Amino acid sequence: MAHLASENARLQEEARRHAREMQEALAHQAAAAEVLEVIGSSVADPGPVFDKILECCARLFDGSSFALLMVDAQGRLALTRWLMTAAGRAAIGEERATEFAASVQSNYPMELAGTSAERSFQSGDLVEFSDVLNDAEAPPALRLNAQLAGTSFANLAAPLIWQGRGIGVLSMQRAELGPFRPGERALLKTFAEQAVIAIQNARLFSETQAALHKVEERTAELTESLEYQTAVSDILRAISESPTDVKPVFEAILDCTMWLFEGPMAAIFSFDGRLVHLEATRNWTAEALEAARGAWPAPPDPRHMNGRAILERRALCNEDAWADPSYDRTMASTGSRRRMIAAPMLKDGVPIGAITTAWPEPGKSPQRQIDLLQLFADQAVIAIENVRLIHETRETLERQTATSEVLQVISESMENAQPVFDKILESCQRLFSGTQLGISVIGADGLMRLGAHRGSAREMLERSYPRPVDQLSFGRAMFGVFHVADVLAEPTLPAFMRRIAEEIGNYAIMVAPLMWEGREIGSIHVTRDAPQGFVEKEIRLLETFADQAVIAIQNARLFNEAKEARAAAEAANEAKSAFL
């Protein structure tokens, strides 16, 4: 009896611990979502984002002070934000706290060498000191702060990394000595990553404003013509009125090209780094459009003006394509194109497309037309980048919301993992555009069973379960997310996957293992029409969903074990009472 009571108490305490961890995870997710909302509403200025991050830190961490430091133009650390909590002031005394705050702020800017920021940049990860006064490895700056405060403290610093380079650090100090918990480390790292997003959003916004200013300056330099000024204003208006769709801007550019260039043929092409795509045209004949459908998408081709501009990354002109032996005469003849101009669309010097114009007669193109077409190309880049930034911010918010929703279901369904599975697959179907999605769980007999599924092939897939684990996890999935863009083109995949593709159609697939204490307890998979590879941010999100599925499985196991233990204890008590 004593053993049963002890085991029951242990299980109940473990269940309570998991509940506390879930509540903490929900609070952390909510804080991250709050910061993302500020990011979305403060694109031009990272200051409100920094303030929100420190506010969330003070609310969620038992810290005494928090600091956001940035590397300035001279390579030194500058104190951008610093917050000392009421608990931190109380720990060292109100009078001394005021003197301490002044001393800390007077130390900046400081040289980067030897600081915890430098160490975090070198490792690319968090740096932690559980007792700065008694840790010989603690940087001098931290030890000095502790001496000024008259007490030791624990310190945790998360680097702000952009394109492999350290640009700042988010740091917290705590009066309580000892190591920080994994949840605290993960959240501080998330806040640091969000600070980087805010900084880069502001940089991109500033560059966009500078580009717009440059456009205005270049327009004034090109001509005082009212027509030119009106055309540029029309395109800028289209950019401001269409922040989420680049097509109206392309249409405005082509309209202005027709008007100012006296009715030539024109086209806008995009370039994804591998293939050129025809996006929009003006005055192309039906014959030319038919030929274009067979010519693009394709790698940039120097036999076409768009390919030349993309490859050479500069505006070009051709006085007579028919007389140019290196040009695609067939394509030029099909569209009756002879005199041509092409301007590349460049983002930070990297081509992302091109604009072309053509006339049916040969001739020399005036410089003002070449310059104006390049100006239009620059405006197209601004529109594309605006749309990209807004879409990326929206996607980030959607993914944070999805993971928060799953955590909410986890907290409401401790005894049953099925609602969590269903919510995860619903989110995957929406965020990944998935066609077939499933979660499989390994039973006590070592066989894999289908725990949940969304998609038209459920009945066919159910016939293949239960199955041995090694047939579905592929071995490789146990070491991380496994993904392939074209199942039928990958000869090393298991035969049953190819049979499924032959029955329901070819597909791309991404599989994440469900891992618990170093062993696989299931997997989650997402498929969509091939060939559509999965990008890094999708892989990371599926890993998050896999972790949440594991939490749901273990919560249900612990809940049911605790329930069974209680029932056994009650039965034993009843039997004992009856005996007595």
Side-chain angles (χ1 to χ4, degrees), residues 65-217:
S65 66
F66 305 88
L68 182 67
L69 305 130
M70 301 300 300
V71 179
D72 64 18
Q74 288 74 43
R76 299 174 301 174
L77 278 179
L79 186 63
T80 303
R81 291 288 191 281
W82 190 66
L83 173 64
M84 190 174 187
T85 65
R89 300 181 72 89
I92 62 176
E94 190 63 32
E95 182 175 343
R96 189 164 193 170
T98 302
E99 180 182 353
F100 173 68
S103 298
V104 168
Q105 295 180 64
S106 68
N107 289 334
Y108 295 93
M110 71 167 54
E111 295 300 322
L112 180 62
T115 64
S116 57
E118 181 187 47
R119 298 187 190 184
S120 69
F121 293 168
Q122 291 171 347
S123 66
D125 204 350
L126 288 83
V127 173
E128 177 179 350
F129 301 96
S130 58
D131 184 348
V132 298
L133 276 182
N134 297 303
D135 188 337
E137 295 297 320
L142 290 180
R143 297 172 65 84
L144 177 60
N145 284 347
Q147 291 167 358
L148 289 172
T151 181
S152 188
F153 53 79
N155 180 267
L156 181 64
L160 276 59
I161 304 294
W162 173 249
Q163 295 182 342
R165 179 174 60 88
I167 61 173
V169 66
L170 178 61
S171 174
M172 65 176 288
Q173 294 182 177
R174 188 179 65 193
E176 180 185 354
L177 304 181
F180 292 83
R181 292 181 289 106
E184 293 175 317
R185 293 171 61 88
L187 185 59
L188 194 71
K189 189 172 183 179
T190 295
F191 285 153
E193 291 169 351
Q194 290 179 318
V196 172
I197 292 174
I199 293 166
Q200 297 312 315
N201 279 357
R203 179 189 62 80
L204 181 57
F205 183 87
S206 177
E207 290 178 355
T208 300
Q209 293 300 106
L212 288 172
H213 182 64
K214 182 179 179 181
V215 166
E216 295 171 354
E217 289 181 342

